[in-house]
């Protein structure tokens, strides 16, 4: 059986399990195709509920969002309202992030407010606090999967990257803990241009694939702690190399087709980020606000995002990782050195309005 056939078989198995465990979520996901054909968003909500974290990573993308002590923050009532709106729009997936979600004191209440019966719930984690009891508990309260961050197959490199000694050992233990608890898991790893071609990355992918775990690759971005660091960015040739790896291994990026849909760049159409302060970003790394959930409906905010051509049309690359023209024109010149997030009206102009919807590029 080829790797592609195995992936299809795995996808079918996952869908059948979802249909059994969360039938309402399954029904929403089965409508994704028709929503895309209507030019509607099927966004994963990457929910930056709280920026509290026990690490200080070299590549942190939310560093400049932290510390707004006087700004309005999400309450549990706000969470319930956000996900009520998301459900009414047919959205079905959320990734709880931060910060480090497993340090949130109100994590259980947060999950309940999102409502596990209505959403497929992922949880980002660095693994530090994921012990056997916590893993079983996460599954019991309705968390479907953890997205475990590990940024090198070598302990000293990962610990240095995460600026925390022992973080590698904790993460590796967390992998087996999740598997033993039958808690869904995939690995998340940041890949620079230099790391992409390394033997270390291949060892990393092969190790976790042998455990039946997929690897999600996040391309390095010149934002957050890496603002202005363009040496780590990939180009089209690098991304084509990654596509070759996808044919051989269970490895994927945000550009990898899912649910039989090829969206290209998924900003707004396939993902949004919601900050602790209510701002909605096109993706976690494009730090412009297309609206604030505390001031207007989610539906209107997403529509505003889709009216910008970079998010409302089919784009065959990762704008913030590879498109140097986009990075220079919009990120360097219009976002850098300003309080974040920058309103989209200060980043995009009338010339940036969409002329056609992404469904026409399918």
């Amino acid at each position: 059986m080829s790797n592609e056939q195995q992936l299809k078989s795995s996808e079918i198995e996952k869908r059948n399990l979802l249909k059994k465990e969360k039938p309402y979520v399954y029904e929403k996901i089965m409508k994704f195709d028709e929503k895309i054909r209507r030019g509607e968003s099927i966004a994963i909500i990457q929910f930056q509920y709280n920026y509290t974290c026990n690490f200080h990573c070299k590549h942190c993308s939310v560093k400049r969002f932290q510390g707004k002590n006087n700004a309005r923050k999400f309450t549990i009532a706000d969470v319930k309202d956000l996900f009520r709106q998301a459900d009414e729009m047919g959205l079905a997936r959320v990734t709880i992030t931060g910060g480090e979600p497993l340090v949130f004191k109100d994590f259980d209440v947060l999950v309940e407010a999102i409502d596990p019966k209505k959403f497929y719930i992922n949880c980002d984690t660095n693994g530090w606090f994921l012990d056997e009891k916590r893993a079983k508990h996460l599954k019991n309260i309705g968390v479907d999967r953890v997205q475990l961050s590990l940024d090198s197959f070598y302990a000293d490199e990962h610990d240095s990257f995460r600026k925390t000694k022992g973080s590698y050992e904790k993460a590796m233990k967390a992998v087996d803990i999740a598997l033993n608890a039958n808690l869904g898991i995939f690995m998340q790893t940041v890949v620079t241009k230099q790391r992409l071609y390394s033997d270390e990355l291949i060892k990393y992918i092969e190790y976790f694939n042998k455990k039946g775990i997929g690897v999600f690759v996040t391309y390095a971005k010149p934002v957050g702690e890496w603002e202005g660091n363009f040496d780590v960015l990939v180009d089209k040739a690098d991304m084509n190399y990654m596509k070759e790896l996808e044919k051989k291994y269970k490895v994927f990026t945000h550009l990898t087709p899912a649910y039989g849909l090829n969206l290209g760049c998924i900003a707004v159409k396939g993902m949004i980020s919601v900050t602790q302060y209510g701002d909605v970003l096109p993706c976690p790394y494009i730090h412009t606000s297309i609206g604030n959930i505390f001031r207007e409906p989610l539906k209107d905010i997403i529509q505003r995002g889709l009216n910008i051509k970079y998010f409302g049309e089919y784009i065959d690359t990762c704008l913030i990782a590879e498109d140097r023209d986009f990075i220079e024109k919009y990120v360097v010149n219009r976002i850098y050195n300003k309080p974040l997030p920058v309103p989209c009206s200060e980043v995009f102009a009338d010339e940036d309005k969409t002329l056609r919807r992404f469904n026409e590029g399918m």
Side-chain angles (χ1 to χ4, degrees):
M1 183 182 292
S2 69
N3 187 57
E4 184 177 353
Q5 288 173 320
Q6 287 177 334
L7 287 176
K8 288 180 179 178
S9 176
S10 174
E11 178 71 21
I12 291 171
E13 185 178 336
K14 288 178 182 177
R15 288 190 183 194
N16 288 339
L17 182 62
L18 182 64
K19 186 177 183 180
K20 179 182 177 181
E21 295 185 347
K22 293 189 173 183
Y24 181 75
V25 178
Y26 172 84
E27 291 300 325
K28 286 198 286 186
I29 288 176
M30 289 301 99
K31 295 177 182 178
F32 277 2
D33 182 72
E34 60 185 77
K35 286 177 67 64
I36 288 297
R37 295 187 187 285
R38 292 197 299 265
E40 297 177 9
S41 173
I42 57 169
I44 301 167
I45 298 177
Q46 198 245 18
F47 189 29
Q48 301 171 5
Y49 174 68
N50 191 315
Y51 292 126
T52 302
C53 190
N54 60 315
F55 281 10
H56 301 281
C57 305
K58 286 184 178 180
H59 68 314
C60 182
S61 63
V62 298
K63 183 68 174 177
R64 289 179 57 203
F65 285 84
Q66 295 172 323
K68 297 182 180 181
N69 295 325
N70 296 323
R72 176 179 172 181
K73 303 178 181 69
F74 267 94
T75 64
I76 291 301
D78 293 327
V79 174
K80 289 180 179 179
D81 186 62
L82 168 62
F83 286 94
R84 174 193 59 77
Q85 294 182 62
D87 178 47
E88 290 174 356
M89 294 176 64
L91 304 183
R93 300 163 296 163
V94 56
T95 295
I96 301 172
T97 189
E100 166 55 40
L102 297 190
V103 304
F104 300 168
K105 294 179 179 179
D106 57 350
F107 184 87
D108 288 16
V109 181
L110 170 63
V111 171
E112 183 181 7
I114 292 170
D115 194 343
K117 295 188 297 295
K118 295 180 179 178
F119 291 91
Y120 186 90
I121 300 178
N122 292 292
C123 178
D124 279 341
T125 184
N126 55 42
W128 191 271
F129 296 104
L130 190 66
D131 57 22
E132 292 181 10
K133 182 178 179 181
R134 191 73 184 274
K136 291 177 181 178
H137 179 71
L138 292 179
K139 185 170 179 62
N140 287 338
I141 64 173
V143 173
D144 296 283
R145 184 170 62 190
V146 290
Q147 305 179 173
L148 185 63
S149 296
L150 186 77
D151 289 308
S152 176
F153 193 56
Y154 304 135
D156 57 342
E157 290 183 359
H158 175 77
D159 286 2
S160 174
F161 195 75
R162 294 276 164 172
K163 297 183 182 179
T164 306
K165 187 173 179 58
S167 60
Y168 176 88
E169 182 181 2
K170 286 273 194 178
M172 292 297 275
K173 285 182 178 178
V175 171
D176 291 328
I177 285 169
L179 291 173
N180 291 336
N182 201 27
L183 177 64
I185 182 174
F186 68 76
M187 305 304 295
Q188 292 191 129
T189 196
V190 175
V191 171
T192 62
K193 183 182 186 71
Q194 295 76 20
R195 187 184 179 212
L196 180 60
Y197 298 96
S198 69
D199 291 338
E200 175 271 325
L201 181 62
I202 298 302
K203 289 178 181 178
Y204 182 113
I205 295 169
E206 289 180 343
Y207 177 82
F208 291 111
N209 279 188
K210 285 178 182 177
K211 286 180 170 285
I213 300 173
V215 175
F216 174 69
V217 165
T218 297
Y219 293 122
K221 318 292 196 308
V223 298
E225 290 286 81
W226 274 358
E227 189 171 296
N229 187 356
F230 305 117
D231 293 337
V232 297
L233 303 186
V234 296
D235 58 25
K236 282 285 179 64
D238 300 327
M239 295 175 78
N240 286 334
Y241 172 72
M242 175 54 68
K243 289 180 182 178
E244 293 303 311
L245 292 183
E246 290 184 48
K247 295 176 183 178
K248 186 176 181 181
Y249 300 107
K250 191 176 181 182
V251 59
F252 49 98
T253 72
H254 276 311
L255 294 169
T256 305
Y259 307 105
L261 301 170
N262 179 13
L263 299 183
C265 172
I266 64 171
V268 183
K269 60 184 80 73
M271 169 179 273
I272 56 171
S273 289
V274 180
T275 74
Q276 183 178 356
Y277 310 107
D279 286 295
V280 179
L281 316 179
C283 86
Y285 312 105
I286 302 177
H287 293 161
T288 181
S289 174
I290 56 174
N292 189 290
I293 200 67
F294 299 148
R295 294 194 286 270
E296 58 184 324
L298 178 63
K299 185 176 183 179
D300 293 348
I301 295 171
I302 288 182
Q303 184 61 55
R304 180 179 298 115
L306 292 175
N307 286 341
I308 298 169
K309 66 181 180 182
Y310 294 103
F311 315 128
E313 298 179 11
Y314 180 86
I315 303 291
D316 68 350
T317 190
C318 179
L319 292 166
I320 191 62
E322 184 275 328
D323 191 327
R324 299 299 284 269
D325 291 336
F326 178 89
I327 293 169
E328 182 66 26
K329 181 176 180 179
Y330 298 101
V331 181
V332 175
N333 290 331
R334 302 182 188 181
I335 295 179
Y336 277 9
N337 302 316
K338 292 183 178 181
L340 297 181
V342 181
C344 65
S345 60
E346 296 179 21
V347 178
F348 301 104
D350 287 344
E351 64 186 36
D352 299 312
K353 289 183 178 178
T354 187
L355 299 177
R356 58 183 174 81
R357 278 300 171 82
F358 54 88
N359 60 333
E360 296 178 22
M362 298 292 290

